[in-house]
């Protein structure tokens, strides 16, 4: 019998990562020949960690905060879309080569599909202008949004991201006049545990015709999503994106197709349970 190959997630901090639970569950269900662990990697040891994993015969790694950009120069090949996003969250070691992928973007789009939400033909407002915002702007464009506009606390950063991604900036005074049926997507960390009493969007501006999407998954029901529910608007939380980026990464490592419908509810319950007991 072949020994099991190692998988893992690298980041700093990493102690509260849900990825070992998520992947452990997929490995057990499908009897994949892998083990999956979390590794805390210091900033000055990133290259050693990647090449060390390769030397040890790892099959792959997930890469999380703060290394999604920093790993790029260490890779032999980068998937075209990951290169466009400028961030890699999944690494495959294969045939002596290190290849980088980005499953966050399609994980995000698949998570909307699970909830029957489409960005096609919608006007999209992206809140935030960091690395996550860049991925979501490109996801919205890939999903053929009608328009993509960026609102950010620091205006200059919104301008820079808009220029890089071929989108436009939404000034603060235009927040109150966003188009009908728009999608408002939070890509900032505002509202994330332990700051659960904060929201990136003013409560008075929520409308029933718009859809509100949060990539924050801890807590599952952020204040942003609660405000959406208060006006009866459609909303989607971040846990689906977490699940789907993981499923897509496991497909890359295993070479097997994993059915989303067969796994989504069970994985969501598992992760939500883990968030509660943290
Ligand atoms: P990431 O890679 O996760 O996107 P980042 O690159 O540090 O992280 O970007 C964080 C984003 O969240 C930025 O757009 C930041 O706004 P600024 O550009 O003004 O810093 C936004 N953000 C973080 N905390 C915020 C807060 N309390 N209020 C509003 N925006 C916030």
């Amino acid at each position: 019998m072949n020994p099991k190959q190692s998988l893992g997630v690298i980041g700093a901090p990493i102690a509260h990562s849900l990825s070992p639970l998520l992947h452990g569950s997929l490995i057990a269900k499908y009897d994949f020949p892998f083990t999956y662990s979390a590794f805390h990697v210091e900033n000055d040891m990133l290259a050693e960690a990647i090449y060390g994993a390769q030397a040890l015969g790892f099959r792959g790694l997930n890469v999380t905060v703060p290394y999604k950009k920093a790993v790029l120069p260490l890779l032999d090949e980068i998937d075209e879309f990951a290169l466009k996003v400028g961030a890699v969250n999944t690494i495959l070691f294969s045939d002596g080569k290190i290849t980088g992928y980005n499953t966050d973007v399609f994980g995000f789009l698949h998570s909307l599909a699970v909830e029957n939400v489409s960005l096609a033909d919608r006007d999209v407002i992206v809140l935030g202008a960091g690395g996550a915002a860049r991925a979501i702007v490109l996801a919205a464009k890939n999903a053929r949004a009608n328009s993509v506009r960026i609102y950010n606390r620091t205006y200059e950063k919104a301008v820079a991201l808009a220029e890089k991604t071929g989108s436009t900036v939404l000034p603060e005074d235009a927040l109150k006049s966003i188009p009908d049926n728009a999608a408002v997507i939070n890509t900032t960390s505002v509202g994330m545990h332990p700051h659960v009493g904060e929201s990136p969007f003013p409560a008075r501006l929520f409308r029933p015709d718009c859809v509100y999407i949060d990539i924050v998954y801890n807590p599952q029901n952020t204040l942003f999503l609660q405000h959406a529910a208060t006006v009866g608007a459609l909303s989607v939380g971040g846990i689906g994106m977490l699940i789907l980026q993981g499923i897509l990464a496991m497909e890359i490592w295993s070479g097997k197709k994993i059915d989303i419908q067969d796994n989504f509810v069970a994985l969501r319950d598992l992760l939500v349970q883990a968030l509660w007991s943290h």
Side-chain angles (χ1 to χ4, degrees), residues 80-96:
E80 198 183 323
F81 202 72
L83 201 56
K84 207 166 154 191
V85 176
V88 158
N89 78 322
T90 301
I91 288 175
L92 174 71
F93 299 103
S94 168
D95 301 327

Side-chain angles (χ1 to χ4, degrees), residues 65-66 68-69 127-135 150-158 161 186-192 195 198-200 215:
V65 178
K68 290 184 186 187
K69 212 187 251 236
L127 308 177
R134 180 171 176 158
I150 301 164
Y151 169 73
N152 192 46
R153 174 178 63 179
T154 310
Y155 185 80
E156 298 72 35
K157 280 206 215 159
L161 182 61
N186 175 39
T187 74
T188 76
S189 53
V190 180
M192 191 188 287
H195 304 289
E198 295 170 15
S199 166
I215 70 166

Side-chain angles (χ1 to χ4, degrees), residues 116-201:
N116 289 317
V117 169
S118 167
L119 298 181
D121 302 323
R122 280 190 197 265
D123 293 293
V124 172
I125 314 296
V126 174
L127 308 177
R134 180 171 176 158
I136 299 302
V137 167
L138 293 172
K141 287 181 153 269
N142 195 275
R144 300 189 314 280
N146 184 49
S147 69
V148 182
R149 284 183 289 170
I150 301 164
Y151 169 73
N152 192 46
R153 174 178 63 179
T154 310
Y155 185 80
E156 298 72 35
K157 280 206 215 159
V159 172
L161 182 61
E163 276 172 8
K164 267 189 234 145
T165 54
S167 45
T168 53
V169 174
L170 187 74
E172 189 165 3
D173 58 7
L175 280 178
K176 56 183 176 304
S177 52
I178 59 177
D180 293 347
N181 305 309
V184 182
I185 309 176
N186 175 39
T187 74
T188 76
S189 53
V190 180
M192 191 188 287
H193 181 80
H195 304 289
V196 296
E198 295 170 15
S199 166
F201 199 69

Side-chain angles (χ1 to χ4, degrees), residues 39-60:
F39 300 98
H40 182 108
V41 174
E42 294 296 344
N43 192 33
D44 59 350
M45 295 296 278
L46 184 60
E48 284 84 348
I50 303 280
Y51 299 135
Q54 182 183 35
L56 292 172
F58 274 50
R59 177 63 174 165

